[in-house]
Amino acid sequence: MANTPRNPKELLAQADVASRAKHGAAVVKEQMRDTAAQVKDKVAEGAAHAEEYRAVAQVEEKVAEAARRVRGGTPEPVRAAAGQVARTGGKHPRAFIAVVAGTGALIAFAALRRRRRDDGA
């Protein structure tokens, strides 16, 4: 019995070491739980971003397909005019925005006017 404490001080010292070890193990265990929870949250967040990315990619594909169909059915003079408008808009973004807003307002006005005529007839 070489490890048996000989006096009360040695017994207290051994008890203190065991108590510190248990406390340290509890601290490490809690840290590991916190770390695992953080990792789990990050994985869930990453999965959400991946799903969002997939959804955006699908929408972009659908828009590109629709654009291809519209382009295929559009006469060449209209495509040329649209290309010129896009190039001008790239060079002068403020003017382009103003033109688009004005055009949108005119289209909305014409649609409302037509609706009133159709309702009144």
Side-chain angles (χ1 to χ4, degrees):
M1 291 224 237
N3 289 340
T4 306
R6 297 181 195 168
N7 61 41
K9 283 186 179 182
E10 288 179 4
L11 184 60
L12 284 174
Q14 275 188 342
D16 187 43
V17 168
S19 173
R20 285 186 197 174
K22 285 180 182 178
H23 176 70
V27 168
V28 169
K29 184 178 178 182
E30 187 61 32
Q31 288 173 344
M32 293 304 291
R33 281 185 182 164
D34 290 346
T35 301
Q38 289 174 359
V39 167
K40 184 179 177 183
D41 290 346
K42 288 290 182 182
V43 168
E45 186 178 308
H49 285 300
E51 186 62 35
E52 182 178 317
Y53 175 77
R54 280 192 291 271
V56 168
Q58 288 174 350
V59 169
E60 287 175 346
E61 288 173 14
K62 288 179 182 178
V63 168
E65 179 59 31
R68 280 191 291 275
R69 280 192 235 135
V70 168
R71 183 177 175 90
T74 304
E76 182 56 39
V78 174
R79 277 191 265 165
Q84 183 61 38
V85 168
R87 283 189 293 280
T88 302
K91 293 176 186 174
H92 309 287
R94 286 188 179 176
F96 182 69
I97 291 170
V99 168
V100 169
T103 303
L106 287 174
I107 290 171
F109 175 75
L112 289 173
R113 193 167 177 196
R114 184 177 185 147
R115 179 183 280 176
R116 284 187 188 154
R117 275 195 228 147
D118 291 344
D119 289 343

